[in-house]
Structures are given as structure tokens and as C-alpha cells.
Amino acid sequence: MDKAYNHKIEEKHLYAMWEKNGYFKPKKNPKKKPFTILMPPPNASGKMHTGNVLMIAIEDLLIRWHRMKGDPTLWIPGTDHAGTETQITFEKQLKKQGKSRFQYSREDLYNEIWKFVQDNKGQIEGQMREMGASVDWSRYRFTLDDAVIKTVHTTFDKMVKDDLIYRGNYMVNYCPKCGTTYSDVELKHEERIDPLYYMKYGPFILATVRPETKFGDTAIAVHPTDKRYKKYVGKDIEVEGLNGTFTLKVIADDFVDPKFGTGVVKVTPAHDKNDYEAGLRHNLEVKPVIDLNGKLNEKAGKYAGLSVNDARKKVVLDLEEKGLMEKIDLKYLHTVSLCKAGHAIEPMVLPNWFVKVDAPHKSFKKPAYEAVKKGKIKIFPKWREITYLRWMEEMRDWPISRQNVWGIRIPVWYKVADNLKVRVLFKYNEFNVAGEIGELMQSSKDGAKRIITGDQEKIAGSDGGTKAFTLAEIKQGLQRVFPLVDSSFVVANDSPGDEFIPETDTFDTWFSSGQWPLVTLGYPDADDFKTYYPTSVMETGWEIIRLWVSRMVMFGYYLTDKPPFEYVYLHGMVRAIDGRKMSKSLGNVVNPEDYVEQYGVDALRMGLIAGTANGKDFNFPKDRVIAYKHFGNKIWNMGRFILMMREQSEKEVPSFATVDQKKFTKEDKAVLKELDALIKKVDTELEKFRFADAAEAIYQFMWHTIADKYIEQVKEREDKDIALAVLLHVYMTNLKLLHPFMPFITEAIYQQMPEHGESIMIEPYPTA
RNA sequence: GGGCUCAUAGCUCAGUUGGUUAGAGCGUUGCAUUGACAUUGCAAAGGUCAGAGAUUCGAAUUCUCUUGGGCCCACCA
């Protein structure tokens, strides 16, 4: 053995040996209860961050512990397509090449992203191996595998039949110039100075930057405690407007800031996110006045057909003329949302797909709520339960459609002849064309409307503007369809016929990953599903308890009437060394690779595990990583010393089991007694998910009891053969206890010890 | 603004149902050291447990308030 432990040499080949010998596959044993963990799938095209390392460290610890105890143990690895995130990363790449997603049809874009992910997913898989994750690679899943898509489609179909799916309106970020919607994370925010208009509204004066949306107002809101306006709350008021007088209800809601403007807000649920939310709370009518071309619609009366900007100017002039404008603050600073191309975003209410989470005929969420409330699923640490339960109580219907390409397409088709009013956006040569499908199929000479973006000059000179498109042309370049809320549809995986166009929305990632326990185990009839469902522990970061954990529980009960797992263990977030959240812009990101290189995987894993005891967030514990690196070296040298002493021993060292117990000294008896106590402690701590305490106990015992005391005493002993037999036994027992925490070094030492077996991984776990 | 959470040694953190002298790692100081390990050993210093009040025979631990952090969510017409 070398004088110092060299992780760079020892960590390399051991993983390949384990994998080759098939240790990661479960050993069936009908008499024992299986222990199963499904790995929360990291982003397939990403690379490993410290949170992933902590996740793997904890899961591998539990898995190796149970495996050594002889339980049929299964850990399934996977990766996630990470819908929005991946699409944005990919689009950034396109941008570097001077391209954009609008140059691709939906299908081509999907295929390009697929290639991109395939090119990149090797990295994270390699890193899982590097971390020592003892996962069963033969059961590996990617969230866009055919089997996953099939299950998700089947579930959707069942939910449609069970009347748990409906189409409803939902507020999205829509760009009228691009003709498409954007996700929140795609938006840019820009500070601007705009006029703030104080207009007269019946008995009130209220401030707004968007007077043109007043035609969509369906209420006026004040703060509940605002004494100035208390007498109006709940009443209907008459308002003189530009298109005659109308009536609005006055509501009281906390979202109003009594200190802003006059403390009175006009509520336009169709065109403002805040107002939309307020509208849901107060059952207000959603009255859209802006259409998908960014123009005011017929509800705006004489302003119909004007663009938003033109309408604003005209409305302001007319208000002033009518004496309805109190004053204008020209220097109002606020933030506006812009699309990637820099156009103003119009918050719009568009039809989306929803899950009814608490329908009277069948509640999707209720069993999931009760499972935790009644303790059928146990959450560690327990105080996180509140987050889950509160979320479940407040949960509203779940919008499951996303206007992304990269994801699982919602398996729905629209018959064109029955849905001529449906808008589509598609690529035709170098142009992007948008319009209602019925009109696009006629020539624009007949008055059909459309938006064509691209080279305007070229369009004017060509016949592109007058063309009547065929359905095949539209479908070939199809980028997006905008079905109406009541469009008729059929559910089918494949096209039901040429006269249909597909839904282009994809599922919310959580709709598919919420079925992770089902798709990884081959629901409904695979052997794995029968054997390993429900699984044992769901181990993940607490920040996705609402997004992910809750969905898995809901789907689990909906499809199988059982919880998908018994325990949920939520680890804390790893913050940067400076105590702030890791972020690229702060430059404080801890790259696990650097620590693996310098201190080794074992030290990194152990440092992270010891750095958090109770699931709270914690700063990256650099000095613990270093401490455990030193610890590795310490136990390496203990092994070295034992081997050396055995070689030098005059008498043959007997095996521990054959030593006559009467020959034990009081030191021997004491250390053996302490060893028993340690074994018990490690077991009870691990059962309680107190990993740091178990780690600390082993560390203290090996270093300060065996090395500092017992070994020193051995040096003086007359009966060295007995002492060495005891020492080897105690040391080997500790290596086994430590293996789930520090798999590489314990295996490396084990392989050098006398009378060793094939691998420490398959040694029986110590019992007291 | 809503929710959760934290404040314990110079630093980073444990302290699980309230119960002897409040612990660890790193750091600091002194001494030691050729039968493994300087990535070592022995020893020491260092805490009125953020502040105030309450409950209790007893509070770092329970409750209330104050002060100051962190994170998540929602974001201002």
C-alpha cells in the first residue's frame, strides 16, 4: 500500500468492477421487502451541480446500506428532457449561429433539439458513474422515451374519459407581432418611463398606464381597509365612458395598494395578470378587448381595429376632450415585459388544457392530501409537511399545456372543417404566416386576413400575400395552433386522418414527471411494477415538493389507488460558500468537478452529507470536505499499519471468530462493546434519516477510539496475536459501516485486507 | 406584501420528546513525535446559546414581542 491514499488512482477502476459483476441489479428474495428508490432525473443536457451530488450521496447511502442488509434493492436512474430550460439553452445556441426557432417547423425544431440533447446527455451519465451511484443502468429511463410518452398519453386519455380534463382560459404571455406565446422565463424586463393617466371613473379617480384596456374592465377594486372608499364596496356604480355609460361592481381586495395613485384600480381580468387573479377570486367576467393581431376588437366600439398604441393615443385624446382626464403624470417609471425580439408582451387569456383537481365526481387531489395528513406517506423533515398540505389546500385547477416544442405533445387533433376559426402559425419558405385557418385557405384578395413576417419588401413584390394555402402546406411548416376554448377535438396518439391538424401544445413537464414512479416501473403490468411499487423513499430537494412530489402522489392515487412511495426525504439546498445562492452572475458557483479532482468523490460526498443534519439549506461545507479527505487518509494508514503488524507478528494471527473469548483483555472487551453500540447507533440514525449523525459517529469511533486509543494500546501488548485479531475485526466492521458513505476508499482498502471476499459491497452488513 | 426558516465558539454548523460540566470540523496557542499517518499525537484557550419578557423545580430547547439575515411565491395598476 502506498504511504498516502490517492483517490485519483483508486476511484478509477472500482466502479467498472462493481458494474461488471452485476452488483447494482436487485437480488430477488421473496421473503424480504424490497427497497426501492427512483432517482429524480437531472436535466439530460446539463451537467452535475452540488445539489445533484448531495442527492446521489444520500440515495447511494440508503441503497448500499439496504443492499448490504440483504434486501432486494433497486435504484433506477434517469434523466429529464427539462422542457423549457433545454429549449432556451438550445435557442441560445441557435442565436449564436444567427438563427431562431421561427426558421423551423415544429417537427424540425423538435428533431434538432433531440439531436442536441443526445449529443450532450453523455456528460451527466458519466458524472453519475463518477460519483459512484450504484444504479441499475439496465432500467435507465429518459423522460421522452417511447414508453414514457405512451403511458402519459394513456393517462391523458383516461382523464379525458373520466371528465378530469377541460379546456379553459389561462393567462399567457403573448406577443402579437410574433404571433406566439412565451414562457415567463423567456421574457425580458425593461424599465421605462411612461405616462400615468389619472382618469375619472364614476365617483372615482384612478391611475392607469393602459387606458385603452378600459373596455375590458369588469370591476373596480379598492383595499378592504381603505376608509375613503368603504361605502362603495359591493355596490354597482355608473361610469361615463367613451362608448356611453356602463356599470361596474366595486370589490375589495388585498392586492390593491392603497398608497399607489388614488388607491383605486380598474380591474381588467383579460389583459393583466394581477387583475386576472383578482378576477378568479371574485368571479369576474373575463372580457378580452385585444385580439391575436394586437388590435382592439368589436367590444371597443369605435376604437375597434386600432392597434394598442394607436388606440391608447386616441382614447387619451377623447378622454381629455370629454373632461374625463384628471391629470397625467408623464414621468412614471415602471417595468414592462418584452419578448425576445423586444416587442411588448400582451398578457392574454388564451385557451389551455386543465386538470380538474377537485371535481365533485372525483377529486384528484384529495387522496394525495389525506395520504400525508394521515401519515400514509411520511415526510422528513416533518416540518416540511406544512408546505405540502397548504399547497394542496390552496391548489386550483392545474394548467397542463405549455407552448413549447420540446416536450410530450398533447395527443389531441382538430378536424379542420369544424374548426375554421382556429388560428395557426406556420413557416412557409422564408416567411412566417399567421391567421385563421379558414381564411388562410382562401386568397387574401377575397379579404382574408393574415400576418406575414419576414422580408416585407419581398412580400409586396411577390404573390405571397395573395396566396391561398393548402392544408398540406400549413401542416408541413406548422409551428403552432391556437384552438378556441370550445374547439372540437379527438384524442389519439397518431393522426386520425389528413383532414386533421394536431394540437401543438406540449404537456407541462410535471404532468409527465409526475408519473415517474409509474413509467420507470412499467405500469400497469410489468413485473417491476408488481414487485417494486409502491417504492420506499422519494429523496429530492424540498423546492420541488409542490411542483413534483405532490403530482406524483396525485397520479399514484389516481392510477393505482396507492401512494407511490412510503417516505419522502427532502434535503436542503446547497448554497455557495459565501452563504448566498449559487449563481453564475455572482460567480460563486461551486463546481463539484473541482472538488472531485482535489479531494476525491468520497470526501465530497461525505462532506456534503455531514454538512447538513436536518434538511435545512446550508453553505457548501468546504472544510468538512477537507476534513473527510484527511479522514480517508487516516483510515488508509490504519489499514496499512494493521497489515504491517500482521507481517511482523511472531505468532500466526488467528481469525477473530476462533479466538477464545476468555483471552480478551479489558481493552478488547471495551472496544468490542463500543463497537456494538456504534453499530446500533448507525442503524437507528439511518432509519431516522439522520445521516450526518451516523457519519459523525463512525468518524469519531474510527479516529478517536480505534486509532488514537486502541491501536496505541496494541503496540504495547504482549499477546499481539489476540490484539491484532480483535483490531482487524473491529476495523473491518467499521469499513463495512462506512462503505455506504465512502464507497471507493472502503472498497480499495478492503481489497488489500487478508481473507477478503469479492467486494465489500456484497459483504453482510454488521449486526450488534 | 404572503409563506417558510434561521440567529449557539474567530469561521461553518450539530444539539431529535425541556433534565448533569452546551458538542464537532476548520482555525488559534503550547508541547510532542523515527513500529501506520505532519493529511500525525497530547493538551489548552475560546460561548451570559441575537435582545426583552412569559411558562416551569429546571429553557439553547416551549410561547409572545423586538432586531437582523436567508429562501420560496406573488409583484404594483
Side-chain angles (χ1 to χ4, degrees), chain A residues 146-162 165 408-411 491-493 507 511 515 519 523-524 555 558-559:
Chain A
D146 287 344
V148 177
I149 294 174
K150 196 178 151 218
T151 305
V152 169
H153 281 181
T154 308
T155 303
F156 179 77
D157 189 44
K158 177 176 158 62
M159 292 176 86
V160 170
K161 290 188 176 117
D162 285 348
I165 300 280
I408 299 178
R409 195 185 68 84
I410 296 177
V491 179
N493 295 352
F507 285 110
F511 188 87
Q515 298 172 59
V519 297
Y523 165 84
F555 277 114
Y558 174 59
L559 294 169

Side-chain angles (χ1 to χ4, degrees), chain A residues 431-476:
Chain A
F431 306 113
N432 289 98
V433 184
E436 287 177 15
I437 195 160
E439 298 199 328
L440 289 168
M441 290 166 74
Q442 309 165 28
S443 166
S444 64
K445 281 180 189 158
D446 305 330
K449 293 172 202 153
R450 62 200 51 175
I451 307 174
I452 300 182
T453 58
D455 190 334
Q456 295 293 333
E457 300 274 321
K458 217 169 173 181
I459 292 173
S462 74
D463 61 352
T466 63
K467 184 174 165 53
F469 297 95
T470 66
L471 185 53
E473 283 168 341
I474 293 172
K475 276 161 75 172
Q476 205 206 334

Side-chain angles (χ1 to χ4, degrees), chain A residues 354-370:
Chain A
F354 283 83
V355 170
K356 289 181 196 171
V357 298
D358 203 20
H361 65 284
K362 177 154 182 92
S363 179
F364 192 58
K365 74 174 187 179
K366 203 172 166 201
Y369 175 84
E370 285 180 347

Side-chain angles (χ1 to χ4, degrees), chain A residues 738-755:
Chain A
L738 186 61
H739 176 73
F741 297 84
M742 303 181 82
F744 290 105
I745 188 170
T746 47
E747 180 75 277
I749 297 171
Y750 174 88
Q751 295 293 340
Q752 312 236 19
M753 288 292 117
E755 296 152 32

Side-chain angles (χ1 to χ4, degrees), chain A residues 110 264 352 456:
Chain A
Y110 185 94
V264 186
N352 276 264
Q456 295 293 333

Side-chain angles (χ1 to χ4, degrees), chain A residues 14-128:
Chain A
L14 293 173
Y15 192 88
M17 182 271 280
W18 293 330
E19 193 180 355
K20 194 178 110 233
N21 288 349
Y23 299 148
F24 299 164
K25 292 193 178 163
K27 292 239 174 342
K28 285 204 173 176
N29 181 349
K31 285 181 199 154
K32 290 199 122 186
K33 189 179 165 191
F35 183 81
T36 314
I37 295 181
L38 309 173
M39 182 190 287
N43 183 345
S45 58
K47 64 181 230 188
M48 193 160 292
H49 58 255
T50 46
N52 298 141
V53 178
L54 177 62
M55 167 186 92
I56 286 177
I58 294 173
E59 291 173 22
D60 199 34
L61 161 57
L62 289 169
I63 285 289
R64 286 178 188 266
W65 175 49
H66 277 275
R67 191 187 285 122
M68 287 173 83
K69 282 177 163 247
D71 301 331
T73 302
L74 174 62
W75 187 14
I76 300 185
T79 47
D80 185 27
H81 65 282
T84 311
E85 198 185 331
T86 303
Q87 191 166 333
I88 289 172
T89 310
F90 178 76
E91 285 185 38
K92 273 185 195 155
Q93 277 217 339
L94 280 184
K95 202 179 172 187
K96 277 183 199 157
Q97 302 162 22
K99 294 182 192 165
S100 98
R101 74 165 187 240
F102 294 106
Q103 288 166 284
Y104 296 88
S105 71
R106 185 185 189 285
E107 204 178 336
D108 291 344
L109 187 61
Y110 185 94
N111 292 335
E112 289 295 315
I113 302 177
W114 181 272
K115 270 187 249 164
F116 167 78
V117 171
Q118 290 306 314
D119 289 347
N120 284 282
K121 72 197 273 242
Q123 184 178 13
I124 193 101
E125 290 169 20
Q127 286 178 312
M128 287 180 196

